[in-house]
Amino acid sequence: MSNNHGAEETPAEHEVPEDDRVIASAFRYSILIFAAIAIVGLALAWWLNRAPEVVPLTERPLAGPESAMVEDESQPPPVRFSEQSRAAGITFVHVNGAYGEQLLPETMGSGVAVIDYDNDGRQDLLFVNAEAWPWRAADESAGPVASQALYRNAGGGRFEDVSAAAGLDKSFYGVGVATADYDGDGFTDIFITALGENRLFRNDGQGRFEERTSDAGVAGAADAWSTSAAFFDYDGDSDLDLFVTNYVLWSRDIDLEVDYQLTGIGRAYGPPANYAGTHNYLYRNEGNGQFTDVSAEAGIEVVNAATGQPAGKGLAVVPFDHDADGWTDIAVANDTVRNFLYRNLGDGRFEEIGAQAGLAFDNQGNATGAMGIDAAVINESEDLAVAIGNFANEMTSFYVARGGSGQFTDEAIVTGVGPDSRKSLSFGLFFFDFDLDGRLDMLQTNGHVEDDINVVQPSQQYAQPSQLFWNCGQNCQREFVKVPDSEAGDLATPVVGRGATYLDYDEDGDLDLVITQVERPPLLLRNEQDLGHHWLRVSLAGKPPNTNAIGARVELKAGGKRQIRVVNPSRSYLSQVELPVTFGLGELAGPVEITVNWPDGTLSTHTQAEIDRPIILRQP
C-alpha cells in the first residue's frame, strides 16, 4: 500500500497508535459515567429512606358535570316477580318443528300479544305458534297439532283457553303478531306474520275471528319470512296502515346447502350472514277493509348500494316520531346489517336515514345482531332513547337523542346498560315502569340460539336469565342499574327467551310480564312489588276509524314533574304490549294533569283528582 509521499507503511505502524488513543479516551469517559451513576444511586437511596414529611391534606370536591354524582347511585328497590302461568291456567307450549336438521327458523321463536278482544277491560293474551314441518309425515311429528292460542282473562288472576271458540285454533308456521282495530268497528283485530303467507283475522264483535287475509290483500309472498309488524297511521288519514318486517331469503334447500357447522357440535344454526336480505312491506289502508302494497313507491325498499340487492334483514319494528314533526317514523332492527330509520316525509314517502341519524351502527361503528327494539322518552329532559337487543358478546345498543334532538348517539356504556348486557343474547326488549316511581325502566329477555353452545363457548348457556335495568335517574352515576338476579325472583330463571310483553293482568296497578320461549311454555310473571307507590292507568277511546287512538301522545304532570307516553303497542320482539299506558307516581298522591295530543292533532287536557285506578279518556 502507498501514500501520497510514496513511503511504504505496514497497517500496524499506521493504525494501532490511533486505536489506543480512542480506547484510552473511552475508558476515561466510562470512569466518569460510572462515578456519576454511583452518586445518583446514593442520593436516591438517601431520599427513599429519609423520614417522611407530614403535609396537611385539604379535600376538594371533584370537578365534573353539575348533574354527575349529585346523589349516590341508589340500589334498585325490593321488587320481585313470581311465575304464575300454570296457576293462572296457561298451558300453551311453543312448537318449532325441530327434528334434527337444524333449520334456521327453529331458533327464532314466536311472539305474544296483549289484546282486549272482548272489550271487557281485562287484558287477554294471544300466543303465536309454529307447527311441524309440512314435508314430515304425520306419524313422524310427535304430539298434538300445534295452533295459535287465545287466552281470555277471566279475572281473579285466571285465564281460560278460548282458541277454538274464537276461531283462532289455526295451524301454520306463525312468527310475530300485531293487533289493532283496522276497520274502525271498535273491536281489535289480529295480524299474524308467518314463514310463508301472513294471516289477518277480523274480530266480529261476538267473540270470534274471521280470516280476511285474501280480501284485505296482506298475505305477502308465499316464500317470504315475515317477522314483526305494526299498525300505525303513516299518511294522516286516520285509518291504520300496516308495516311488516321481513327477515332473510330462506328455504330448506338453501339452509341445507349452506350447511353451517360448528366445531365440536357439527351441523348448527347458521347466522343470517349466510342468507340474502329482503324488502319490508308497507300496506296502505284504503278504508274499505282492503290494503294496497305501497312499499316501493313509499321508499320502504332499501337496496345495498354495492350489489343492488335488498339490504334489510328485519326482526323488529317500532313506530315513533323521532324528530317531533308530527309524522310517525319507523325504526327497524336488522340482524347483522345496518338498522333502518325511515323518516316520514309527510307526503306518503319515507327516507331511510339510519346512518345519518346515528341509529344504524353501534358505538364501535359496527352492524350488530339486532333483535328486539323499543323507543321512549326516558326522563324529564325529554331524552329520547331507542334500545336494541343484540347477539352474545355485543352490548345492547342504547341510542339517545338528548333533548329530543333527533340525532342519536349509542350511550350503552355511559348509561350503564352496556357492560351488564354484553354477555347475553337478547331478544324481547321494552321500557316500562316496574316499580311505579315515575321513571321508565328496561327489560330484556335472553337465550341463545344453539342448544349446545356451552360445548364450544363455556361462557355461554342456551337458557339465560332475563335482565331488568332500573332507571336510577339523571342524578345517578349510571342512569340504569341492573337489578341483581338474587332480587328479581323468578324473573332470574334461565329461559330460552324470545317474545316479551307487559300487562296488568291481575288489575292491581303494577305491570306484570310475559316471556315466550322456544319449544317451552311461556312465563307469566306477576309483579309482587309492595312499595306503596301511587299510579294511574290511562286508556284512550278515539274516534273511528282509529278507535284505540294509536299514535296519541299522553303527557302527565304532577308534583312539578312530567312523564310522556305514546299509545303504541308494537315494540319488543315479534310482540305487542297492552294499549293502556301506566304512569307511576311514586309518593305523589295527586291531583294530576293529563294532556292528550290525539292522532288527528287535537289537544285535550284533563285534571284527575283520584288516582290508583284505571281511567278512560275520550277524544273530543
Side-chain angles (χ1 to χ4, degrees), residues 306-494:
T307 65
Q309 299 301 307
K313 298 180 181 181
L315 283 178
V317 58
V318 61
F320 71 114
D321 185 2
H322 100 279
D323 51 4
D325 66 353
W327 294 95
T328 302
D329 312 300
I330 291 282
V332 174
N334 282 316
D335 194 358
T336 69
V337 296
R338 76 179 195 268
N339 301 315
F340 293 161
L341 176 60
Y342 294 102
R343 178 173 176 264
N344 192 332
L345 301 177
D347 60 0
R349 295 179 302 120
F350 290 82
E351 177 187 16
E352 201 289 293
I353 60 166
Q356 299 95 306
L359 278 179
F361 306 102
D362 69 6
N363 54 20
Q364 301 296 315
N366 299 317
T368 59
M371 267 72 79
I373 188 171
D374 197 8
V377 176
I378 56 171
N379 52 40
E380 293 181 59
S381 299
E382 294 196 27
D383 294 335
L384 178 62
V386 175
I388 297 179
N390 293 319
F391 205 78
N393 300 314
E394 296 174 339
M395 291 182 291
T396 292
S397 299
F398 201 90
Y399 304 99
V400 181
R402 294 294 173 185
S405 64
Q407 189 63 41
F408 294 89
T409 302
D410 188 355
E411 299 187 5
I413 295 176
V414 298
T415 56
V417 170
D420 284 312
S421 65
R422 182 187 296 275
K423 185 178 177 182
S424 302
L425 199 165
S426 304
F427 282 88
L429 174 152
F430 52 75
F431 294 104
F432 76 129
D433 185 0
F434 79 91
D435 59 346
L436 301 176
D437 66 354
R439 297 188 296 266
L440 284 175
D441 314 296
M442 191 187 82
L443 175 126
Q444 63 181 38
T445 189
N446 309 314
H448 212 281
V449 296
E450 297 285 350
D451 50 6
D452 291 325
I453 189 61
N454 187 250
V455 174
V456 294
Q457 292 186 31
S459 65
Q460 288 293 316
Q461 301 291 334
Y462 184 46
Q464 301 178 4
S466 300
Q467 293 174 302
L468 182 60
F469 291 88
W470 176 58
N471 188 334
C472 183
Q474 290 180 277
N475 292 332
C476 293
Q477 184 177 9
R478 292 289 183 267
E479 195 164 355
F480 285 82
V481 179
K482 182 182 176 296
V483 175
D485 290 350
S486 60
E487 300 297 323
D490 292 334
L491 180 61
T493 301

Side-chain angles (χ1 to χ4, degrees), residues 129-177:
N129 212 348
E131 64 174 348
W133 291 110
W135 52 81
R136 299 192 72 208
D139 58 354
E140 294 179 308
S141 304
V145 175
S147 70
Q148 318 313 307
L150 177 64
Y151 285 85
R152 187 180 75 86
N153 190 331
R158 296 281 302 175
F159 290 85
E160 59 177 346
D161 188 342
V162 295
S163 310
L168 288 173
D169 54 341
K170 309 294 186 183
S171 295
F172 55 92
Y173 210 101
V175 181
V177 59

Side-chain angles (χ1 to χ4, degrees), residues 497-564:
R498 293 299 185 262
T501 189
Y502 62 79
L503 74 162
D504 179 17
Y505 86 92
D506 53 1
E507 301 177 279
D508 63 355
D510 55 32
L511 294 174
D512 313 298
L513 306 174
V514 178
I515 294 171
T516 69
Q517 301 191 78
V518 175
E519 282 196 301
R520 300 183 183 190
L523 276 67
L524 173 64
L525 295 159
R526 186 174 64 199
N527 190 334
E528 303 285 4
Q529 70 86 23
D530 188 22
L531 301 171
H533 288 168
H534 297 291
W535 52 273
L536 190 68
R537 285 170 56 80
V538 180
S539 297
L540 300 185
K543 292 180 177 180
N546 188 359
T547 59
N548 294 132
I550 289 178
R553 176 183 168 105
V554 186
E555 179 181 301
L556 181 144
K557 293 180 180 177
K561 297 182 179 181
R562 180 168 64 170
Q563 300 179 50
I564 295 171

Side-chain angles (χ1 to χ4, degrees), residues 75-211:
Q75 293 300 310
V79 177
R80 299 177 70 84
F81 290 84
S82 63
E83 212 289 302
Q84 299 290 325
S85 59
R86 288 286 176 175
I90 296 174
T91 59
F92 174 82
V93 178
H94 177 254
V95 171
N96 67 353
Y99 60 95
E101 282 196 333
Q102 309 293 95
L103 302 176
L104 184 58
E106 298 165 359
T107 71
M108 305 308 290
S110 58
V112 55
V114 181
I115 172 177
D116 181 8
Y117 83 98
D118 52 1
N119 287 356
D120 67 352
R122 297 193 183 106
Q123 304 303 312
D124 312 305
L125 289 170
L126 173 70
F127 292 96
V128 179
N129 212 348
E131 64 174 348
W133 291 110
W135 52 81
R136 299 192 72 208
D139 58 354
E140 294 179 308
S141 304
V145 175
S147 70
Q148 318 313 307
L150 177 64
Y151 285 85
R152 187 180 75 86
N153 190 331
R158 296 281 302 175
F159 290 85
E160 59 177 346
D161 188 342
V162 295
S163 310
L168 288 173
D169 54 341
K170 309 294 186 183
S171 295
F172 55 92
Y173 210 101
V175 181
V177 59
T179 63
D181 179 13
Y182 80 90
D183 55 0
D185 67 352
F187 292 92
T188 303
D189 311 299
I190 296 170
F191 178 79
I192 299 179
T193 66
L195 182 64
E197 293 187 349
N198 303 316
R199 311 293 181 94
L200 177 65
F201 298 93
R202 178 182 174 271
N203 189 333
D204 70 358
Q206 304 298 317
R208 286 190 61 83
F209 290 84
E210 305 166 343
E211 185 172 352

